[in-house]
Amino acid sequence: MQLAECQLSAPVAGMSDEKGSLRGGVEKGEEPAGTIAGSVFSVKRVEDEEEPMKVEVAVGADGCPDDLSCQEADIDPYLLGLADDEEKCRKIRRQYRQLIYSVQQNRDDIVNMASDTLTEALEEANVLFDGVSRTREAALDAQFLVLASDLGKEKAKQLNCDMSFFNQVAFCDFLFIFVGLNWMEDDERDELSGCDDNIALSFWETVQKEATSWIVQAETFHFIFGSFKSKPSAPKPRLEHQKKAHKMEENGAMPTKLRKLDLSNNQEATEKEVERILGLLQTYFRKYPDTPVSYFEFVIDPNSFSRTVENIFYVSFIIRDGFARIRLDQDRLPILEPININQVGEGNDPSSHGRRQGVISLSLQDWKNIVATFEISEAMITNSY
Amino acid sequence: MLQKPRNRGRPNTQAERERDWARGAAEEAPSTSRGAGGSQEARGTSSQGGRRAEASPEVGPRSQQQLELKVAELVQFLLIKDQKKIPIKRTDIVKHVIGDYKDIFPDLLKLAAERLEYVFGYKLVELEPKSNTYILINTLEPVEEDAEVRGDQGTPTTGLLMIVLGLIFMKGNTIKETEVWDFLRRLGVYPTKKHLVFGDPKKLITEEFVRQRYLEYRRIPHTDPVDYEFQWGPRTNLETSKMKVLKFVAKVHNQDPKDWPAQYCEALADEEARARPETGGPTPSS
């Protein structure tokens, strides 16, 4: 069908742009070449729909454009005469444009609804085409056909989906039900966004578990103990210390001695205390020579139970180191006696040399009783602070 | 950051074994020192540098030990590279592991694949014929009892992936990006909002899944505003199938897959195509 061919080759610059190149090309009386663009489907569609288009066009095969291979076709001279009727052509063009515009505007309606709007539009175009005698109008007709077939394809696609109906919204709802969340209908359509984090987490976990059973993913490989050879984490604090030490060295002011002292800070405190208390004890012994001091009177602090315990602790060091000794006097009460350095070597009293262990336990009540019994009013070991 | 497997601490025994190998093979082809550098205590950048500064290869008879070592390294390399699920390029393999053993690359790869299958149950497959990229897939079908521990590592993205794959398939194998987001919005996943589980969902779906070759992401021409469409990627067809995805969707709906006849027919045809021997499972080609 020659007519069909020239219809197909008429340029359509774009559905929304029916003027411009379209008219310009036709004015020159040529057959402007161009691509039938407009939508991504249109090119394909034109080829696909070639058959139906031909069928459609066959209806209006009466009109024949005057500037195309008309030599081979039978031209009715009567039609050639009609070609001079500019006014009619203008009217036809206007009608076509109106049709195209209305179809474009109602695009959504046409595609989505099971409506006959498209068929009606096609029939209208058919009628219009009866009066077409020039390329210009024919081009508009072609443009309309492209638009119509575009919509036709979308409609067909819709039909296809309806056959094996997949409803996305239902899929969503089913997902929630599957996971175990029962949302009330019409209630907070924006569910997972507005709700609890925990619910969202558990939703995705559940979906994950189901999903992984339908896919053979290789589990990602990780070393159990991490990817470095396990080293004791001790280096870290040492490193910090060393960093600090390095800093100090860089300053140049700090002597090495001080660094050593810093490290053994904890032990220092105890020793200092012990020495201090020893000093106190020795002062006492010097003041009152040959008078042992009552143990309790020495260690007990009537104002503080915890200080008392600390004192007992420090005195035990003194005894351990041999600067004093503890023994029971005639009343079987413990007393502290000084040991002189020269006494050590004398070996006078074997019992006093023997290493003995004693455990002193003191409860809060005991401490209170002792304070009351011995009438201790103030501590012998004064605080250093 | 992905680091070379040879620098990793291995269980002591294996490290010692490999040190022995390296020591024993030290007199032989210098290419072995590649492995030696890796198994020594000095790992990290120093041995990487050492590897790069490797001496020119000596192509001579290679001992069984050397081959063993190479295969072991290749297996580790593949496993580590697969962590991100991005297909492993052949060029990477050659550059980082094979090196001088390029001439026997196909054999090494075959041996590594066998080991992966035998020890780990993972199959090394080429993503697409002639693509020279490889992925690991599980040969073991998922079982009910493993449900708790399956897909446990890292972010649980498989659920989202399956949903998107299901959407794509049920809507005719291609879907517009706008439709995907319209759907995911109802699940609380937005392209522009930070997600509790997925972080940046848009990035995850349009970049990561695409890089991992689960999805194809193409621009639809002539659209304004610009729209993209999603399709299944090559990896999806290797790791799952239309029938499986349909069954997943059906399970969610608590219905039979046959309730969607068009999709069911398509899935059936796909199954038949897979069952045919010559087009069957992809094999690692050299």
Side-chain angles (χ1 to χ4, degrees), chain A residues 164-165 168 171-172 174 190 192-193 204 208-214 216-222 227 229, chain B residues 8-9 83 85 122 138 150-151 153 156 158-159 171 183 187 190 214 239-240 244 251 253 260 262-263:
Chain A
S164 45
F165 185 65
Q168 285 145 273
F171 189 32
C172 253
F174 278 115
D190 246 355
L192 268 191
S193 54
W204 288 112
Q208 168 87 354
K209 291 218 192 313
E210 183 56 38
T212 46
S213 54
W214 297 106
V216 282
Q217 273 177 332
E219 296 288 333
T220 46
F221 175 81
H222 298 282
S227 43
K229 223 183 194 131
Chain B
R8 295 285 162 255
Q83 277 174 351
K85 293 283 169 207
Y122 292 165
N138 215 329
R150 229 187 293 125
Q153 312 263 26
T158 315
K171 296 295 263 181
F183 178 82
L187 298 177
Y190 301 88
Y214 281 114
E239 289 193 5
T240 184
K244 285 191 186 168
K251 186 149 179 209
H253 281 78
W260 292 271
Q263 285 90 340

Side-chain angles (χ1 to χ4, degrees), chain A residues 79-96:
Chain A
L79 282 174
L80 278 173
L82 265 180
D84 297 326
D85 197 347
E86 260 307 312
E87 186 49 45
K88 191 158 181 261
C89 292
R90 219 174 288 135
K91 186 163 162 249
I92 291 175
R93 285 200 299 276
R94 208 181 316 127
Q95 284 171 314
Y96 262 122

Side-chain angles (χ1 to χ4, degrees), chain A residues 53-258:
Chain A
M53 270 180 82
K54 279 193 178 156
V55 170
E56 296 284 341
V57 169
V59 176
D62 301 312
C64 175
D66 49 9
D67 52 342
L68 297 164
S69 29
C70 283
Q71 295 93 353
E72 291 141 62
D74 289 326
I75 302 166
D76 192 342
Y78 171 63
L79 282 174
L80 278 173
L82 265 180
D84 297 326
D85 197 347
E86 260 307 312
E87 186 49 45
K88 191 158 181 261
C89 292
R90 219 174 288 135
K91 186 163 162 249
I92 291 175
R93 285 200 299 276
R94 208 181 316 127
Q95 284 171 314
Y96 262 122
R97 272 180 235 129
Q98 271 174 348
L99 186 61
I100 289 172
Y101 180 72
S102 75
V103 168
Q104 278 175 337
Q105 290 305 104
N106 299 325
R107 186 202 176 108
D108 288 331
D109 291 333
I110 291 174
V111 170
N112 293 331
M113 285 171 13
S115 71
D116 291 333
T117 328
L118 189 59
T119 325
E120 285 164 11
L122 277 169
E123 280 170 6
E124 198 181 323
N126 262 350
V127 169
L128 274 178
F129 192 72
D130 285 345
V132 166
S133 55
R134 282 193 181 169
T135 334
R136 223 163 133 183
E137 293 78 47
L140 277 171
D141 186 77
Q143 189 185 348
F144 170 78
L145 271 167
V146 170
L147 172 62
S149 43
D150 193 7
L151 294 175
K153 180 171 177 182
E154 282 197 37
K155 264 195 109 155
K157 214 169 163 207
Q158 290 265 337
L159 274 173
N160 215 8
C161 286
D162 288 342
M163 241 172 37
S164 45
F165 185 65
F166 179 68
N167 184 341
Q168 285 145 273
V169 184
F171 189 32
C172 253
D173 294 334
F174 278 115
L175 271 169
F176 289 129
I177 297 172
F178 178 75
V179 167
L181 300 164
N182 294 307
W183 300 106
M184 304 303 285
E185 288 292 339
D186 308 314
D187 204 3
E188 328 146 52
R189 272 282 78 172
D190 246 355
E191 304 83 352
L192 268 191
S193 54
C195 74
D196 208 3
D197 276 356
N198 285 330
I199 299 183
L201 265 170
S202 78
F203 173 86
W204 288 112
E205 273 174 20
T206 318
V207 176
Q208 168 87 354
K209 291 218 192 313
E210 183 56 38
T212 46
S213 54
W214 297 106
I215 189 167
V216 282
Q217 273 177 332
E219 296 288 333
T220 46
F221 175 81
H222 298 282
F223 287 96
I224 294 179
F225 297 117
S227 43
F228 288 92
K229 223 183 194 131
S230 55
K231 263 191 225 159
S233 55
K236 199 174 176 212
R238 229 195 297 139
L239 211 65
E240 281 177 28
H241 257 283
Q242 280 166 7
K243 272 195 195 153
K244 274 194 210 150
H246 272 283
K247 270 202 192 136
M248 287 202 280
E249 270 179 356
E250 278 160 27
N251 289 344
M254 287 289 213
T256 331
K257 222 181 6 179
L258 200 60

Side-chain angles (χ1 to χ4, degrees), chain B residues 23-37:
Chain B
R23 230 178 283 126
E27 309 90 49
E28 300 178 64
S31 55
T32 330
S33 50
R34 217 172 256 255

Side-chain angles (χ1 to χ4, degrees), chain A residues 224-369:
Chain A
I224 294 179
F225 297 117
S227 43
F228 288 92
K229 223 183 194 131
S230 55
K231 263 191 225 159
S233 55
K236 199 174 176 212
R238 229 195 297 139
L239 211 65
E240 281 177 28
H241 257 283
Q242 280 166 7
K243 272 195 195 153
K244 274 194 210 150
H246 272 283
K247 270 202 192 136
M248 287 202 280
E249 270 179 356
E250 278 160 27
N251 289 344
M254 287 289 213
T256 331
K257 222 181 6 179
L258 200 60
R259 202 197 321 160
K260 280 207 197 128
L261 279 174
D262 278 336
L263 285 174
S264 56
N265 213 353
N266 285 336
Q267 295 150 307
E268 252 261 319
T270 315
E271 281 171 22
K272 262 167 58 181
E273 274 298 299
V274 171
E275 277 169 29
R276 192 178 67 84
I277 292 172
L278 182 61
L280 284 172
L281 191 64
Q282 283 171 340
T283 313
Y284 172 84
F285 285 143
R286 252 179 276 130
K287 258 170 84 173
Y288 309 103
D290 302 324
T291 322
V293 61
S294 162
Y295 179 75
F296 290 127
E297 274 187 35
F298 187 64
V299 295
I300 296 271
D301 180 343
N303 300 314
S304 165
F305 177 65
S306 52
R307 281 294 299 169
T308 308
V309 173
E310 279 179 30
N311 295 338
I312 296 175
F313 175 64
Y314 294 134
V315 167
S316 67
F317 277 93
I318 295 173
I319 297 169
R320 180 199 69 171
D321 292 337
F323 292 107
R325 66 165 168 248
I326 187 169
R327 65 182 177 86
L328 301 175
D329 66 2
Q330 53 265 42
D331 297 325
R332 299 199 64 76
L333 291 171
I335 51 168
L336 274 175
E337 273 180 346
I339 296 178
N340 295 324
I341 312 293
N342 37 12
Q343 263 190 355
V344 175
E346 278 173 6
N348 37 5
D349 197 356
S351 63
S352 69
H353 273 302
R355 289 284 193 175
R356 292 219 184 106
Q357 269 189 347
V359 177
I360 300 173
S361 71
L362 197 77
S363 75
L364 198 61
Q365 195 55 50
D366 291 335
W367 169 69
K368 285 186 186 159
N369 294 341

